[in-house]
Amino acid sequence: MSIDAVVWDIDDTLFDYTSADRAGMREHLAAEGLLDGATTVEQALARWREITDAQWVRYAAGETDWQGQRRDRVRVFLGQSLNDTEADAWFDRYVTHYEGAWTLFPDVLPALDTLVASHRHAVLSNSSLLVQDRKLRVLGVHDRFEAILCAAELGVSKPAAAAFHAACEALDLPPHRVAYVGDHPEIDGRGAADAGLLSVWIDRGGVHGAGRDGGTGPHRIGSLAELPAILGANTRFGAASTFG
């Protein structure tokens, strides 16, 4: 069966979230005077990412809301019982630095350009539409997608099959005619495969696991240049996966 549409994750798939987060936090910590002799930049960045991951798990589980996970990231990181206004202000100052580092991965526009005539495109993110809609506009790719769906508005998040099926329904296509491309091996890769989509896990670092999982799991690629070959797109762009 042919694949008619591609649904994309955003952070660390299209948008280089990790680099922007690190660069933004590095500048923010310096501006806030939080880097002293006892804490290196790398230690602070690692702690911020660990706290962020933990709070995202709470948010995905419904234990907190979107704004709550942001506030709790700040409180845990600083080790202070800030009120909501204080936590929001601290996070907003960080966002100013973070947004200054926003960029797409270099393989994104070539992939989208190659697939524009052969496939429809949409987005499914575990974030909020308020954040991701603006991000896609700033990055200049908002108009590339027919639909933009986010967990905060859907009321369900990846890896739940209902999240992936909502994206398919937005495109009016059955799951087996839709591919999903994301960077997380379980939330994106395994989640999409279990939901019946053609699952493509992009592992740009090439440091995780093995390749395709027994024919039913995600296809693993190291670059979006490999995507057209997996989709069967009639194009010279791309190559067979180097991961087997």
Side-chain angles (χ1 to χ4, degrees):
M1 186 68 67
S2 65
I3 298 297
D4 297 322
V6 182
V7 179
W8 301 81
D9 174 50
I10 298 179
D11 295 344
D12 280 331
T13 297
L14 298 173
F15 160 63
D16 190 354
Y17 167 77
T18 295
S19 294
D21 183 46
R22 289 173 62 84
M25 182 53 66
R26 181 181 288 109
E27 292 185 14
H28 179 55
L29 292 174
E32 296 287 309
L34 294 176
L35 294 176
D36 55 32
T39 304
T40 68
V41 173
E42 290 305 315
Q43 287 172 332
L45 291 173
R47 176 166 166 74
W48 175 252
R49 190 57 188 264
E50 178 183 345
I51 292 169
T52 297
D53 290 344
Q55 293 301 324
W56 267 105
V57 169
R58 293 183 62 239
Y59 170 67
E63 297 176 8
T64 185
D65 61 15
W66 173 254
Q67 197 65 28
Q69 60 84 23
R70 285 186 163 195
R71 291 165 177 162
D72 288 343
R73 284 158 68 184
V74 175
R75 290 167 178 144
V76 174
F77 182 76
L78 296 178
Q80 299 176 19
S81 299
L82 303 180
N83 62 39
D84 288 351
T85 299
E86 292 169 333
D88 289 344
W90 195 95
F91 197 93
D92 287 345
R93 293 195 297 275
Y94 151 70
V95 167
T96 299
H97 298 290
Y98 162 63
E99 291 186 354
W102 280 4
T103 185
L104 295 169
F105 285 104
D107 57 359
V108 170
L109 290 180
L112 290 174
D113 287 344
T114 299
L115 298 171
V116 66
S118 58
H119 293 78
R120 298 164 63 194
H121 298 272
V123 160
L124 173 63
S125 167
N126 268 2
S127 183
S128 74
L129 188 60
L130 176 67
V131 171
Q132 301 295 46
D133 186 90
R134 178 174 176 274
K135 184 183 295 176
L136 292 173
R137 291 181 188 278
V138 171
L139 293 171
V141 293
H142 185 277
D143 292 343
R144 302 275 191 149
F145 306 104
E146 292 183 33
I148 300 171
L149 292 84
C150 293
E153 289 73 28
L154 285 175
V156 62
S157 59
K158 304 174 293 181
F164 295 100
H165 291 166
C168 296
E169 291 169 7
L171 293 166
D172 196 23
L173 288 170
H176 63 268
R177 292 176 61 182
V178 178
Y180 188 81
V181 182
D183 70 289
H184 195 286
E186 294 299 323
I187 294 173
D188 296 318
R190 174 54 59 185
D194 288 349
L197 287 73
L198 175 68
S199 177
V200 182
W201 165 38
I202 181 160
D203 177 24
R204 287 192 172 86
V207 297
H208 300 284
R212 189 193 302 184
D213 182 7
T216 59
H219 295 255
R220 178 171 174 252
I221 60 175
S223 166
L224 292 181
E226 300 173 60
L227 182 59
I230 291 176
L231 299 179
N234 185 16
T235 173
R236 294 182 180 178
F237 182 94
S241 174
T242 58
F243 290 107

